[in-house]
Amino acid sequence: QKEVEQNSGPLSVPEGAIASLNCTYSDRVSQSFFWYRQYSGKSPELIMSIYSNGDKEDGRFTAQLNKASQYVSLLIRDSQPSDSATYLCAVNTGFQKLVFGTGTRLLVSP
Amino acid sequence: KAGVTQTPRYLIKTRGQQVTLSCSPISGHRSVSWYQQTPGQGLQFLFEYFSETQRNKGNFPGRFSGRQFSNSRSEMNVSTLELGDSALYLCASFRDTNTEAFFGQGTRLTVV
């Protein structure tokens, strides 16, 4: 079983819709969780961090964490074509070791 | 505030050579970790340094090594390069334990 799993996509949504990205992880002791956005040929850019169960909102982005289910999600409201990218879920498993999922490719069509 | 700086941005090396990559973290950040990104394997953890000490190491051969200096700048070295080492090498900077990682632009290494 992979440590962090994501659906590779592509996830296609129309402009203005809500995009929902999901991630599951296997290490129950993980304490911190992150979503990164990566455009083709660029480095990952931090979108959201979440450390406790529940929702965390920042602008159009909402991260959700459920430690009991070992599940993290990212909602993007009012999706824009500029949101088209690969979204990486990352889990800190200790001593700054981030374990990444393979990423979900999001395509937002005008 | 300056971000994470990686040099060089691009490198082309021949099999068997060695290479050194450099990373300057965000000012005040003391932890640096390195990742290799390839299309087939995704982002994989190489190692992490804090206050000049390697605290964690990924599952890579001994050809991959690193170090951190007293000013938190870090270098990684790959010896006896193989074609499979072609990848984007990313450095991440952390303010403190269990905080967000901020990535540099990466070094694109091509081994021919």
Side-chain angles (χ1 to χ4, degrees), chain A residues 2-6 23-25 33-38 43-46 86-93 96-104, chain B residues 33-37 41-46 90-92 94 101-103:
Chain A
K2 290 184 180 178
E3 292 185 74
V4 178
E5 294 204 48
Q6 294 180 255
C23 169
T24 58
Y25 62 95
F33 308 85
F34 309 95
W35 283 99
Y36 287 86
R37 177 174 64 195
Q38 187 173 28
S43 63
E45 172 192 11
L46 180 68
T86 297
Y87 288 80
L88 298 162
C89 173
V91 177
N92 190 331
T93 60
Q96 321 299 42
K97 177 183 177 182
L98 291 180
V99 178
F100 285 85
T102 53
T104 298
Chain B
S33 58
W34 289 88
Y35 296 82
Q36 180 196 66
Q37 187 174 31
Q41 298 296 319
L43 267 156
Q44 293 191 291
F45 173 79
L46 282 157
L90 292 158
C91 169
F94 297 77
F102 297 93
F103 284 88

Side-chain angles (χ1 to χ4, degrees), chain A residues 6-12 21 84-87 102-107:
Chain A
Q6 294 180 255
N7 188 319
S8 60
L11 172 65
S12 295
L21 306 162
S84 297
T86 297
Y87 288 80
T102 53
T104 298
R105 188 173 167 218
L106 174 66
L107 297 175

Side-chain angles (χ1 to χ4, degrees), chain B residues 5-17:
Chain B
T5 303
Q6 289 189 247
T7 57
R9 292 289 311 278
Y10 302 93
L11 268 177
I12 300 176
K13 290 287 188 178
T14 304
R15 275 180 299 174
Q17 288 186 312

Side-chain angles (χ1 to χ4, degrees), chain A residues 19-91:
Chain A
S20 177
L21 306 162
N22 305 311
C23 169
T24 58
Y25 62 95
S26 60
D27 188 346
R28 285 191 169 275
V29 302
S30 298
Q31 294 297 315
S32 50
F33 308 85
F34 309 95
W35 283 99
Y36 287 86
R37 177 174 64 195
Q38 187 173 28
Y39 293 110
S40 181
K42 303 294 186 181
S43 63
E45 172 192 11
L46 180 68
I47 298 296
M48 292 285 288
S49 60
I50 187 165
Y51 300 91
S52 54
N53 280 330
D55 295 359
K56 179 182 178 183
E57 186 174 322
D58 184 0
R60 297 187 295 113
F61 300 94
T62 298
Q64 299 173 316
L65 173 61
N66 183 325
K67 289 186 179 180
S69 300
Q70 295 174 247
Y71 177 88
V72 193
S73 67
L74 179 71
L75 298 177
I76 306 175
R77 289 180 298 281
D78 189 23
S79 295
Q80 301 297 308
S82 58
D83 294 326
S84 297
T86 297
Y87 288 80
L88 298 162
C89 173
V91 177

